[in-house]
Amino acid sequence: MSPTRQCLAIVLAAGEGTRMKSARPKVLHPVGGKPMLTHVLDLVAEAGAQTVAAVVGPGRDDVADAARQALPEAQIFVQTERLGTAHAVLAAKAALQAKPDDVLVLFADTPLVTAATLARLRAALADGAALAALGFEPADPTGYGRLVVDGGQLVAIREHKDASEAEREIKLCNAGLMALSGQHALALLEAIGNANVQKEFYLTDAVEVARKAGLKSVHVVASAQEVMGVNDRVQLSAAEAIFQNRMRENIMREGATLVAPETVFFSFDTKIGRDVLIEPNVVFGPGCIVEDGAIIHAFSHLEGAHVRARATVGPYARLRPGADLGEGAKVGNFVEIKSAHVGAGAKISHLSYIGDASVGADANIGAGTITCNYDGYNKFKTQIGAGAFVGSNSSLVAPVTIGDGAYVGSGSVITQDVAPDALALERGQQVEKPGWAIRFRASLAGTPKKRP
Ligand code: UD1
Ligand code: CA
């Protein structure tokens, strides 16, 4: 397609979404950790739309703010009354008046559409159609508009409620998305009336208006999965499942091994390198990068974490935002890391909490070590030097620094800085009483033991 064609994308986001039964507007519910509206705005940007308009319902500042956050240059229009999809598109009349080459109309509750499909719709316009509708064949067509096709041309889209018995037999349905020639879009939309069962201004009627004006309409077919719309939480979970399958396939095709892909969950922005091994039951929240050769063992939860090359995580590890594991570092079972840089080759193998900290290269953090980073009011930093050895079950009370190569004796509560290469011990002197146990038992001989 010619890159010089100007494209306006209009994203309809005025839906009430009452079937979600949620305090949150429907289009802000996430799929793969990203609001559905943001999926669609990212998509139109990727598809090359130079101008993007979002149509929101009255008083929906939350939706408008989310649109601006996703795409700062997005123009926001308010549809003051919900009078139908054509009426909603006309809320963006000011954008349509610029007469771009292509106008794409999308629904913010249809988040899985691909840029390739938008390219096919735009290609139909470039080939001379005034309108290109997106069709699909759902398992159950009930409720959808039907595409009435005659001799390769699209002659009408009939809403289910307005369709005749014969038209309801048609399997090819309207996905709702449409591409319109910008030269004609405004005139077509303004000619649409509301003489139908729902007394709504239907975007779909643009097809018949175009036909009467001697303009050609066509359709492009997509898979039912790609064009699925989300109206309730059951459909939201179906969209999530489709999204997750796409992510898993992409990640495996890029060279990572997922032993049981159906049990691994990614976010929209998860980046996984080559020869990464991900065992079953792993969840990636937003903002994770896993570099080449790393291993994520089973039952680990990562969010905002950077796992560098050949590092290993888990099983049963939790990496929270700001966890940054150096090359070849090891974070083992029941370890939680938050806002902490762990140096290359460092080991935190068992049962630790390391937060607001830096751990030097090749340091060894014993089982049960805790950084006491919070006093109920403020957070403080713990710095552990390169090659340091922190004995098991130590509490490091921040702010505190353990020097390079220093040792901390097991069970210590460290409240003062430890110099490089020193040993710090903080525990009572061990007392030993020879033969004490023999005397103890003798003193109690004959007394029956009480069972608890
Ligand atoms: C629409 C199509 C139908 C198609 C179906 C696919 C029309 C007339 N019908 O029907 O052919 O099969 O989608 O799901 O276009 N919206 C507004 N303002 C309005 C009305 C709708 O912003 O006044 C938005 C909604 O938020 C939604 C989208 O437009 O995102 C579709 O509206 P909806 O009422 O759900 O249309 P359907 O009846 O499902
Ligand atoms: Ca709908």
Side-chain angles (χ1 to χ4, degrees), residues 19 26 82 107 109-110 144 229-231:
R19 281 162 63 193
K26 175 172 77 172
R82 202 184 146 88
F107 297 166
D109 65 0
T110 306
Y144 291 108
V230 172
N231 297 306

Side-chain angles (χ1 to χ4, degrees), residues 262-297:
E262 68 283 6
T263 68
V264 178
F265 295 83
F266 296 103
S267 284
F268 68 97
D269 60 351
T270 310
K271 294 202 171 46
I272 307 285
R274 293 202 168 177
D275 292 314
V276 169
L277 169 66
I278 303 175
E279 291 185 350
N281 297 300
V282 173
V283 176
F284 292 91
C288 288
I289 300 172
V290 179
E291 293 185 5
D292 294 355
I295 300 176
I296 314 295
H297 292 290

Side-chain angles (χ1 to χ4, degrees), residues 12-16 26-27 55 79 81-88 107-110 136 143-146 157-159 173-176 198 200-204 229 231:
L12 303 190
E16 288 146 36
K26 175 172 77 172
V27 298
V55 177
Q79 186 193 21
E81 276 180 290
R82 202 184 146 88
L83 300 179
T85 45
H87 180 262
F107 297 166
D109 65 0
T110 306
F136 73 115
Y144 291 108
R146 305 301 206 282
I157 303 177
R158 193 75 65 228
E159 289 306 293
C173 291
N174 177 32
Q198 303 188 84
E200 280 187 11
F201 296 89
Y202 289 161
L203 174 62
T204 46
N231 297 306

Side-chain angles (χ1 to χ4, degrees), residues 146 158-170:
R146 305 301 206 282
R158 193 75 65 228
E159 289 306 293
H160 183 89
K161 286 179 181 155
D162 300 294
S164 65
E165 281 305 312
E167 285 166 337
R168 285 185 183 180
E169 291 300 309
I170 298 172

Side-chain angles (χ1 to χ4, degrees), residues 281-285 299-303 313 316-320:
N281 297 300
V282 173
V283 176
F284 292 91
F299 298 102
S300 293
H301 188 284
L302 299 84
E303 189 182 357
V313 175
Y316 297 99
R318 179 169 185 206
L319 301 187
R320 290 173 51 205

